[in-house]
């Protein structure tokens, strides 16, 4: 069983959490200025990368708070769990293009 370290509660079983998808996707400031294709890209297109991935998780059966997880999508090894607003050099250097 995968253990996830909620930044607010500590390590808990994966069954207490809900996956929230890719992290770091900002809502467009003016959605009405986007074409239908750009809006669809924002809503549906994700990197779906192999390897290290930033994702959102919710501690649904605990504190019910959202946080970010850096997880290897191949090995399921979790590198780090942190509050969404926490700055970190490794995360700041990631871009949507990779
Ligand atoms: Zn929690």
């Amino acid at each position: 069983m995968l253990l996830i370290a909620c930044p607010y509660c500590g390590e808990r079983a994966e069954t207490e959490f809900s996956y929230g998808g890719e992290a770091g996707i900002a809502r467009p400031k003016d959605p009405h200025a986007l074409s239908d294709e750009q809006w669809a890209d924002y809503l549906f297109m994700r990197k779906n990368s192999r390897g290290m991935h930033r994702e959102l998780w919710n501690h649904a059966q605990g504190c019910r708070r959202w946080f970010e997880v850096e997880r290897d999508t191949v090995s399921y090894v979790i590198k780090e769990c942190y509050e969404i607003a926490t700055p970190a050099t490794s995360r700041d250097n990631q871009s949507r293009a990779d």
Side-chain angles (χ1 to χ4, degrees):
M1 177 181 296
L2 186 63
L3 294 175
I4 299 174
C6 173
Y8 310 101
C9 306
E11 201 167 69
R12 301 287 194 275
E14 176 190 3
T15 54
E16 293 189 13
F17 297 87
S18 295
Y19 178 72
E22 184 178 327
I25 298 173
R27 182 180 172 85
K29 292 186 189 279
D30 185 7
H32 298 290
L34 301 179
S35 68
D36 288 345
E37 184 177 348
Q38 290 170 319
W39 183 246
D41 283 349
Y42 162 71
L43 291 177
F44 304 113
M45 300 306 290
R46 299 298 179 254
K47 286 193 285 189
N48 198 25
S49 57
R50 180 179 169 86
M52 290 309 293
H53 187 247
R54 281 177 57 207
E55 46 200 32
L56 294 170
W57 284 80
N58 178 265
H59 194 182
Q61 295 181 24
C63 63
R64 308 185 87 181
R65 296 172 81 172
W66 288 94
F67 59 97
E68 289 189 25
V69 173
E70 276 188 61
R71 181 178 65 90
D72 189 317
T73 58
V74 177
S75 66
Y76 291 92
V77 170
I78 294 175
K79 177 183 171 191
E80 190 178 5
C81 300
Y82 46 88
E83 297 175 28
I84 290 175
T86 303
T89 304
S90 65
R91 291 186 293 276
D92 292 340
N93 291 335
Q94 269 191 331
S95 70
R96 297 274 304 152
D98 58 12

